[in-house]
Amino acid sequence: MGCRRSRSLFPFPAALCAVLLAAGRGWAAADTAGAGLPGDAVRFAAGLLGVFLLGALGWVVSLRRRVRRASAALAAAREQLEDRVRARTAELDAANRGLREQAEARARAEAALAETEERFRTAFRTSPDSININRLADGLYEDINEGFTEITGYTADEVIGRTSLDLDIWADPGDRARLVEGLRRDGVVRNLEARFRMKDGRVIRGLLSARVIDFAGVPHILSVARNIEDWAQAREALREGEARLRSVIEGMPCEFFVFDLEGQCTIVNSRARACWGDAVGRSVGEIPDETQLGSRWEEGFHRARVGETLEDDWERQSGGTRVVYHSVIAPIGGPDGIVGVQALHMDVTERQELEVQLSRAQKMEAVGTLASGVAHDFNNLLQGILGFAELAAQEPGLPEPALAHLGRIETAAHSAAELVHSLLTYGRREKPRLDLFDLNRPVETVVAMLRRTIPKMISIETRLAHDLEPCRGDARQLEQVFLNLGTNARDAVPGGGVLTYETATVTLEGDSEEARSGPSPGRYVRCTVTDTGAGMDPETAQRIFDPFFTTKQVGEGTGLGLSTAYGVVTNHGGYLTCESAPGEGTRFALYLPVYRGAATEANGAPAPEGDALRGHGTILVVDDEEFVRAIARTALEARGYTVWLAESGERALELYAERGGAVDLVLLDLGMPGMGGRRCLERLKERAPGLPVLVASGYGRAAQPQGILEAGAEGFLSKPYSLNELARRVAEVLGARA
C-alpha cells in the first residue's frame, strides 16, 4: 500500500520501489526453492529491504523539495538583481544621452562659431571694397583685405606694420585731417569722399567710412573704402549729358519752350528766344502773341496739365512766302506724374510738300495695281489671239496673203504682250527676267525709237562695241532705262545738240577714277549716254536719282524716271552714275557685271522644235477661260498627247480623283475663281506628291512667287505663250520625269 501511495505521489521513486520488491520476492522464492530457507526469513529480509528503500525515498523527496525552494529563492533573487541592473542601465543610458546631447550641442556651437568666423573672414578677405584695420595709437596697419590690394596695388607685406603716411596714400592731407577729426569727435565717420594715391602713382576718388573698435581691449580703427572713380566719372558724364541736352535743345530746328505746373516758362531755346524774346520767368499769358496763335497757348497749357496733348497747324507769311507751322503742346511726365509742359513750333512746309509727293507715289502704286489686274485679263485675251493665229497658220493650203495676215496678227499680239509687260514694269509689278543678252540690243531698240520721236535738231550717235561680253538680266527693263536717259537728254537740249550712246567692256581697278565714283572693282559692260546740253550744278547732280526730285515744271514730270532707272540697274547688280557741270552737258554711265557663266549657257543645246516636241501621255489642263483650254488641247493633241480639261480647281480635283492614276502632268492656271490655282496645287500635291505641275498665269512673271516652286510646281509659263513654248515646256517636264 505504502509503495502504491509513494508511486502515486512520486512517480519515479515508487516505480523504483516496486522493482526492488519484485526483485526481493524473486530472490526469496529462488532462495527458498533452491536453498530451502524458511519462508519467514525471506519475507523478513524483503520487508527490511522495503523499509530501507522507503526511508531513502523519503530523504530523496525531502531533498527535492528543498532544492525546489532553493531554486525559487534563487530565481527571485536573480529577478531582483536583473531589475536593479535594468534600472541602473537606464540611469546610465540617460546620463550618456545627456552627455552626448551636451557634446553635440557644444560641437554645433563650435561649428557655428567657426562658420561665422569663416564667413566674416571670407567677407573681409573677398570684399571688393578696401578694408583695413589700424591701431588707433600709432596708425600702424595690422590687417588688410584683398580689396585693399586690388585697389591700391600694395601687397600685405608692403603694408602691414606701416602707416598711411609711410605709404603716402592720402593725395590730399586735408582729407586725412577730416577723418581724424571726425573719429576723435564722434568715433565714426561715414561717406567721406577723398582722393587716394595708388602704388603706381594714380590718384582715384574713394568713399570712406571708418569706426573706432576694440580688439582685446586695444582701440583700433576699422576703415572701409570704395572706389568711386567710375561713379564720379559717370556723374561728370551726366553733367556733360545735361550740357549736351541743353545744346540739343538750343540746336532744335523748332521753337521750344518748357513751363512748370504754375505756368512759368523755365527753358527756351535760341529759336524761340529769337521769335518771342526771352520768355524765361514769364507766364503763358505774358508771352506776346505775334503769330496769331491767340488763346491756343493757354488752352494747350491747361489741357497738358491734365495729360492731354494739343496739336494743330497754322500758317504765316515770311518774306512773301507761305510758311506752315505745326504746333504741339504736351505734358512732361515724371516718376510721380506730370511735372511740366512742353511746347514747340516746327516749320513743316517741306513735310507738306513731301506728303503731296507721297500722294503722287500712292497714285502710281494704284496705277501699278490696276495694271496688274488688267494684265491678267488682257494676257488671257492675247493668249487666245496668239494661239488661234498660230493654229490657223498651221492649217494646210492657206494662201500666202492669209499666212502674212496671220503673221501680222501674231506680231501684233506679241507687241501687245510687250506693252503689258512695260506697263507692269512701270508700275513695278514685274520682276526682272534673268536671260543672257547683248547690251547692244536694247540700246539699238531705244535708239531706233528715239530717232522716230525726238526733234530732228537733236542728232543721235552710237558707238557700239561689237565684242561686248554678255550680261544677264531683263533686256526689256533696261530698254526702259535707256529710254528714260534718252528722254532726259532730249529735254536737256531743247534747242538742238548731240545725244550719244556708247558701249564697251571695261575692267575697273580698285584705284581707278571710275571705281572711285561708285562701281566696285571688276569686269563690266558699260553704256554711256552723253548729251551736249546745259548741264547741271553739283547740288542738282547729287540729287538727280532721289525719288520725286525733278527740275521740271509742275505737270511735266513726276521725278520717278531716273529713280526708277537707278532701281532697275541696282536690281541687276549694276551701277548708274552721273557726271555733269553747267555748260558742259551730262554723262550717264551704266555698269552691268559681266556674266561669268555666259559661255556655258550660250553654248547649250538648242531648244527642241517640230517633231522633237511630240510626245505621249495624259495632260490635265485647268483654266477658267474656255478658249485657253481649247488652244492648249488642240496644240497638245496635235503633238500626240491625250488632254483632259477642267474649268476650275474644284473640277480638276474631281477629275483627278476619278482618273488620277492616268494623269502624267497638270497645266494649271493661277488666277481662277473658287479655290484658285494655288490652293488647287497644294491639294494635288497632298494627294500625289510626285505629280508634275506646270503653272501658267496672265499676271506676268510677278505672279511667280517663290512659294509656288516650294509648293512643288515644276515650272512657270507666263501668258501669252506660244504653242511651241508650251510644247517645249511640257516636253522638258515630262522628259525630266522619265
Side-chain angles (χ1 to χ4, degrees):
M1 295 294 292
C3 288
R4 281 194 293 271
R5 180 186 298 172
S6 298
R7 190 173 62 180
S8 62
L9 294 175
F10 309 102
F12 178 74
L16 180 60
C17 181
V19 172
L20 292 175
L21 287 176
R25 288 193 185 99
W27 293 338
D31 290 342
T32 303
L37 291 178
D40 292 335
V42 173
R43 284 191 289 275
F44 174 77
L48 182 61
L49 179 59
V51 171
F52 173 76
L53 290 174
L54 288 174
L57 180 61
W59 179 80
V60 170
V61 170
S62 176
L63 179 61
R64 187 174 181 180
R65 289 175 179 169
R66 286 196 297 273
V67 169
R68 286 179 177 174
R69 285 195 295 271
S71 297
L74 182 60
R78 183 174 60 191
E79 185 175 353
Q80 292 177 358
L81 180 60
E82 289 176 353
D83 290 341
R84 293 178 62 188
V85 169
R86 281 194 293 270
R88 185 57 178 165
T89 300
E91 293 175 359
L92 293 175
D93 289 342
N96 289 334
R97 281 196 301 272
L99 292 175
R100 283 196 300 272
E101 290 174 356
Q102 292 177 4
E104 291 172 357
R106 181 173 181 178
R108 286 195 297 270
E110 292 175 350
L113 179 59
E115 182 180 354
T116 300
E117 292 176 349
E118 181 63 25
R119 184 182 301 117
F120 282 105
R121 186 181 301 109
T122 301
F124 175 80
R125 295 297 180 193
T126 62
S127 172
D129 293 333
S130 168
I131 305 177
N132 52 274
I133 300 174
N134 303 67
R135 283 202 307 245
L136 180 62
D138 51 16
L140 290 179
Y141 286 98
E142 289 197 350
D143 201 358
I144 63 172
N145 72 338
E146 296 174 1
F148 186 99
T149 299
E150 291 290 334
I151 294 175
T152 66
Y154 289 104
T155 65
D157 292 339
E158 295 171 331
V159 173
I160 303 300
R162 303 177 70 185
T163 68
S164 60
L165 295 177
D166 295 336
L167 300 175
D168 194 23
I169 282 182
W170 296 95
D172 183 354
D175 294 334
R176 180 179 180 277
R178 287 187 290 136
L179 172 66
V180 173
E181 180 184 356
L183 290 176
R184 287 176 176 172
R185 184 182 62 249
D186 305 320
V188 62
V189 172
R190 294 186 178 90
N191 299 327
L192 171 66
E193 187 170 339
R195 299 169 67 245
F196 299 97
R197 184 176 292 105
M198 304 297 98
K199 180 180 178 180
D200 58 7
R202 291 180 301 113
V203 175
I204 67 170
R205 282 164 286 191
L207 198 64
L208 175 68
S209 295
R211 178 184 295 272
V212 177
I213 58 175
D214 283 343
F215 285 145
V218 178
H220 289 74
I221 302 173
L222 174 64
S223 301
V224 179
R226 173 166 296 177
N227 183 357
I228 61 168
E229 184 64 29
D230 292 341
W231 175 81
Q233 292 178 2
R235 180 178 58 189
E236 293 175 358
L238 178 60
R239 292 172 181 165
E240 293 175 0
E242 292 175 349
R244 285 196 297 270
L245 179 59
R246 287 192 295 270
S247 176
V248 168
I249 292 175
E250 283 298 314
M252 290 177 66
C254 62
E255 301 159 13
F256 185 74
F257 303 80
V258 174
F259 299 90
D260 61 23
L261 293 179
E262 301 302 321
Q264 298 295 313
C265 182
T266 58
I267 298 175
V268 293
N269 66 352
S270 56
R271 286 177 176 264
R273 194 177 296 108
C275 182
W276 305 87
D278 190 0
V280 174
R282 298 156 69 183
S283 66
V284 173
E286 295 174 343
I287 297 178
D289 181 16
E290 298 178 359
T291 54
Q292 302 176 358
L293 285 178
S295 61
R296 302 292 281 170
W297 274 95
E298 293 191 41
E299 178 187 353
F301 173 77
H302 292 299
R303 290 175 60 176
R305 288 185 60 185
V306 296
E308 298 180 11
T309 298
L310 176 64
E311 292 190 50
D312 59 3
D313 294 333
W314 48 277
E315 300 179 9
R316 69 183 178 95
Q317 294 294 321
S318 177
T321 303
R322 170 181 169 271
V323 181
V324 181
Y325 281 90
H326 182 69
S327 177
V328 179
I329 303 177
I332 301 174
D336 300 322
I338 298 173
V339 297
V341 175
Q342 57 185 328
L344 61 87
H345 306 308
M346 180 181 298
D347 183 348
V348 295
T349 307
E350 184 178 358
R351 190 186 73 180
Q352 284 201 348
E353 293 174 354
L354 290 175
E355 288 175 352
V356 172
Q357 293 177 349
L358 176 61
S359 176
R360 293 174 184 169
Q362 289 172 339
K363 291 178 182 179
M364 293 303 303
E365 179 70 15
V367 170
T369 303
L370 178 62
S372 179
V374 170
H376 173 261
D377 293 337
F378 194 58
N379 280 333
N380 274 333
L381 293 174
L382 290 176
Q383 181 66 63
I385 295 171
L386 184 61
F388 283 121
E390 287 191 56
L391 291 176
Q394 294 173 7
E395 292 293 329
L398 285 179
E400 201 58 39
L403 288 174
H405 293 330
L406 290 173
R408 292 188 182 96
I409 292 174
E410 290 184 27
T411 301
H414 283 299
S415 297
E418 292 297 323
L419 179 61
V420 173
H421 170 77
S422 298
L423 187 61
L424 290 173
T425 301
Y426 185 69
R428 298 194 177 186
R429 296 283 174 163
E430 187 72 290
K431 296 179 180 178
R433 179 165 55 198
L434 299 181
D435 297 324
L436 294 180
F437 67 94
D438 184 342
L439 191 62
N440 286 336
R441 302 288 81 79
V443 172
E444 291 171 345
T445 300
V446 169
V447 168
M449 184 185 305
L450 289 175
R451 280 175 173 159
R452 294 193 302 268
T453 57
I454 66 175
K456 299 300 182 182
M457 71 280 293
I458 300 176
S459 173
I460 301 180
E461 298 181 359
T462 58
R463 301 169 188 168
L464 307 183
H466 299 291
D467 57 349
L468 284 184
E469 297 186 28
C471 303
R472 191 177 187 188
D474 193 324
R476 290 182 295 184
Q477 287 193 3
L478 291 169
E479 287 177 8
Q480 185 68 42
V481 172
F482 294 133
L483 184 59
N484 284 338
L485 296 179
T487 302
N488 277 274
R490 175 202 64 190
D491 297 337
V493 286
V498 180
L499 172 61
T500 304
Y501 284 84
E502 182 178 358
T503 60
T505 301
V506 296
T507 300
L508 302 185
E509 304 294 342
D511 56 351
S512 67
E513 183 177 351
E514 285 183 291
R516 288 195 297 270
S517 66
S520 302
R523 192 160 178 79
Y524 295 89
V525 176
R526 181 187 64 197
C527 177
T528 59
V529 181
T530 308
D531 67 66
T532 58
M536 296 176 285
D537 57 64
E539 181 181 356
T540 302
Q542 287 181 351
R543 300 184 60 191
I544 197 70
F545 297 122
D546 292 348
F548 308 114
F549 176 77
T550 179
T551 58
K552 300 176 182 179
Q553 297 298 320
V554 176
E556 295 182 0
T558 62
L560 290 172
L562 289 178
S563 63
T564 302
Y566 187 87
V568 169
V569 175
T570 302
N571 287 339
H572 281 73
Y575 300 88
L576 183 61
T577 64
C578 176
E579 299 176 7
S580 185
E584 298 182 8
T586 302
R587 177 181 180 269
F588 289 96
L590 183 153
Y591 298 84
L592 291 180
V594 170
Y595 182 60
R596 298 298 182 185
T600 302
E601 290 200 14
N603 297 329
E609 294 187 7
D611 292 339
L613 293 178
R614 297 186 60 81
H616 60 85
T618 300
I619 300 175
L620 174 59
V621 178
V622 187
D623 200 296
D624 61 318
E625 295 290 350
E626 188 276 333
F627 56 83
V628 175
R629 298 196 301 272
I631 291 170
R633 178 178 219 166
T634 303
L636 292 173
E637 286 182 345
R639 286 167 171 78
Y641 297 100
T642 300
V643 180
W644 298 340
L645 303 179
E647 69 279 5
S648 65
E650 291 83 355
R651 179 56 182 158
L653 295 175
E654 292 176 2
L655 280 175
Y656 188 81
E658 296 171 4
R659 311 177 243 180
V663 176
D664 297 301
L665 181 143
V666 177
L667 177 62
L668 177 65
D669 183 35
L670 277 184
M672 297 185 295
M675 70 165 51
R678 176 63 181 265
R679 183 58 182 155
C680 180
L681 170 63
E682 295 172 351
R683 295 285 296 277
L684 286 171
K685 285 298 182 177
E686 289 174 2
R687 298 186 182 185
L691 176 66
V693 178
L694 188 60
V695 172
S697 174
Y699 286 112
R701 289 187 301 278
Q704 184 188 357
Q706 186 64 27
I708 291 295
L709 299 180
E710 293 175 354
E714 259 58 39
F716 182 84
L717 268 175
S718 178
K719 296 179 182 178
Y721 48 78
S722 69
L723 302 186
N724 274 346
E725 184 180 4
L726 171 63
R728 182 172 62 253
R729 296 303 305 276
V730 169
E732 288 174 357
V733 173
L734 292 180
R737 290 281 177 165

